[in-house]
Amino acid sequence: MYYYDFQVVLQEVPGEISLCFSISGCKLHCEGCHSTFLWKEENGNLLTESAYTSLLNQYKNLATCVLFMGGEWHQDELIKMLQLAKKHHFKTCLYTGEETISEEIKNHLTYLKTGSWKMELGGLESEETNQKFIHIQTNKNLNYLFHKN
Ligand code: SF4
């Protein structure tokens, strides 16, 4: 599994400081995609277990959540990374463009964002969006946390 980018982000998961990995190889090719550099498999760097674990240790008292932007197409590897995050006491989140993902992945998530990018409907901050941000354990839709008013 290759990642194009690693960043610490504050807004993608409300109330959490997240270690965000953008995974290469997205096959959805949404019209107007803002991250076309993620379409090509093996763009960026290989996410090795040792590099990943070292980041988890480095940020263990600073961040609270690990966020994957995609990666559901590498189910086994993604699950391994989610398990490691949980072992290091991080919450976990996946942003997918799909409408749904497998139960096997869901079992390792605290939060899940579903839905492709549709320019005319907007992202999570839009009241018209097709996307959903869900707290998995309660199945509660948390989109309201992204609304400005
Ligand atoms: S799911 Fe995200 S990265 Fe993939 S094509 Fe759609 S907008 Fe781009």
Side-chain angles (χ1 to χ4, degrees):
M1 189 160 81
Y2 282 71
Y3 68 107
Y4 185 82
D5 195 28
F6 165 73
Q7 288 181 57
V8 179
V9 297
L10 303 176
Q11 298 190 345
E12 281 71 0
V13 184
E16 310 287 353
I17 300 170
S18 299
L19 307 181
C20 176
F21 296 87
S22 297
I23 304 300
S24 305
C26 183
K27 306 276 186 298
L28 286 176
H29 297 189
C30 306
E31 198 182 331
C33 170
H34 37 75
S35 311
T36 51
F37 46 84
L38 294 179
W39 292 8
K40 189 165 173 263
E41 191 64 66
E42 300 188 359
N43 221 4
N45 297 304
L46 184 64
L47 186 58
T48 62
E49 191 171 325
S50 62
Y52 178 71
T53 307
S54 144
L55 282 170
L56 295 182
N57 284 324
Q58 190 182 334
Y59 285 96
K60 69 180 172 198
N61 296 319
L62 301 167
T64 55
C65 186
V66 175
L67 165 62
F68 284 91
M69 294 286 185
E72 66 276 13
W73 49 89
H74 292 292
Q75 174 158 304
D76 292 348
E77 277 178 87
L78 179 63
I79 287 175
K80 189 169 82 183
M81 296 300 167
L82 294 172
Q83 284 172 325
L84 279 168
K86 285 181 9 182
K87 197 171 151 197
H88 285 75
H89 309 292
F90 287 91
K91 295 175 191 165
T92 55
C93 181
L94 171 68
Y95 268 50
T96 176
E98 304 281 3
E99 294 305 314
T100 183
I101 54 154
S102 73
E103 288 300 315
E104 286 94 327
I105 295 178
K106 256 191 214 173
N107 286 340
H108 298 285
L109 291 175
T110 315
Y111 307 102
L112 172 66
K113 182 239 111 187
T114 60
S116 60
W117 167 248
K118 295 193 192 304
M119 203 182 309
E120 67 280 14
L121 299 177
L124 288 167
E125 71 294 344
S126 158
E127 307 231 6
E128 282 78 48
T129 190
N130 60 308
Q131 302 183 334
K132 289 182 193 153
F133 188 91
I134 306 288
H135 181 246
I136 294 288
Q137 200 178 2
T138 57
N139 201 29
K140 199 171 167 198
N141 183 318
L142 300 182
N143 281 27
Y144 68 93
L145 294 175
F146 292 83
H147 298 159
K148 297 244 157 49
N149 299 311

